[in-house]
Amino acid sequence: MKALNRPVTLALAGALLAAPLAWSSAALAEEPEQVRFSVPAWPGVTVKTALAAQLLDALGYQTRQQELGSTITYEALTQRELDAFLAAWLPAQQSMFDATMEKGLIVDLGNNVEGARLGFAVPSYVYDAGVTSAEDLADEEIAEKLGRTVYSIEVGSGMSDTLNEAVENDTYGMGDWDLSETSTPGMLSAVDAAINREEWIVFAGWTPHWMNIEYDVEYLTDTQDMWGPDGGRSDVRTLVTSDFAEASPNATRLLDRLSFTADDQSAMIRGFSYEEREPEAVALDWIRANPGKVQAFLEGVTTRDGEPGWPAVQQVLEVPDA
């Protein structure tokens, strides 16, 4: 169990840890059937939530997924209109996260993606030419070769705010740089065109994402932590309401155990966003290809009526032995 970081959650933590020994079939039958997820329109969380929903459905729950932005999600969690959110990206959402946690109505189950980060990215040939740190952007010759332009996603995003603040504060000598802010597809179209012509380009990248599979790119060292602590390292937290954690300890235990590497998530995102496959199909393929990880997710988890969880998931989803 990951550490829970509010006093209201301490009793829940103890209860969840003891749950495999204490739960009876009768008690589990009283666990609410419905699990309501918020799913922002981000490829990684779309597939990850589809995967969680398939596991819960196989255990006898009924899941519902609503496409909501992060701001609305935090409000809906405090109003108990949702149960779970698998995409609390920190520090990008830090202010919303902190304000919500202060109300004492949310349980933070911890990070569900290992290796996530934000930062300046460049093609490997630019990196190999010596552009390895964001400090290099202040070099006049390098800045000219990059057109004094950073390519990014839409205005109003957390990444856009970070870049505009960098220009305003002349961080890494970017005071006279331009920001080309379009959208994720627009930015990656520019990256694709530049790489095909072996031109120099710097853009706002992140992992997990399929860009890290399709393009040979490297991330610049962020010596000033412009993108956040530890050079842009990010957590992607799983949040549930305190009411849900108390009423549904079995389902909460499963959600608490869900954890993926950045490479896992990048592959999922590639299947859904780049190959344009249905998220449920991508998630099911991952489940069947990673039985050992799925079995670990289900350690101490039962079906809603109290039967062992792993055999039930194997049967319903046709998952091979680990």
Side-chain angles (χ1 to χ4, degrees), residues 117-118 133-134 172 220-228 230-232:
R117 68 173 296 189
L118 305 172
S133 169
Y172 297 128
L220 305 185
T221 302
D222 182 12
T223 56
Q224 298 184 39
D225 286 344
M226 173 187 138
W227 294 101
D230 296 328

Side-chain angles (χ1 to χ4, degrees), residues 38 64 110 114 128 142 148 152 171 209 229 233 270 320:
S38 168
R64 190 179 75 183
E114 298 297 333
D128 292 342
I142 290 172
R148 296 186 186 277
S152 183
T171 307
H209 192 271
R233 179 189 175 278
R270 183 180 188 276

Side-chain angles (χ1 to χ4, degrees), residues 113-190:
V113 178
E114 298 297 333
R117 68 173 296 189
L118 305 172
F120 290 115
V122 296
S124 60
Y125 53 81
V126 175
Y127 190 89
D128 292 342
V131 184
T132 60
S133 169
E135 298 284 355
D136 296 325
L137 301 179
D139 181 275
E140 285 295 318
E141 183 178 350
I142 290 172
E144 287 298 322
K145 292 190 72 171
L146 290 167
R148 296 186 186 277
T149 301
V150 177
Y151 291 81
S152 183
I153 59 174
E154 61 273 3
V155 174
S157 65
M159 298 184 80
S160 172
D161 292 343
T162 297
L163 285 167
N164 277 280
E165 184 176 340
V167 171
E168 182 178 341
N169 296 332
D170 196 29
T171 307
Y172 297 128
M174 292 175 57
D176 60 348
W177 282 53
D178 293 324
L179 300 180
S180 176
E181 299 178 286
T182 54
S183 63
T184 300
M187 180 187 76
L188 293 179
S189 177

Side-chain angles (χ1 to χ4, degrees), residues 21 46 55 63 112 120 122 124 161 165 204 243 250 263 287:
L21 298 177
T46 298
L55 295 178
T63 57
N112 63 56
F120 290 115
V122 296
S124 60
D161 292 343
E165 184 176 340
D243 284 355
N250 185 58
D263 288 344
I287 289 171

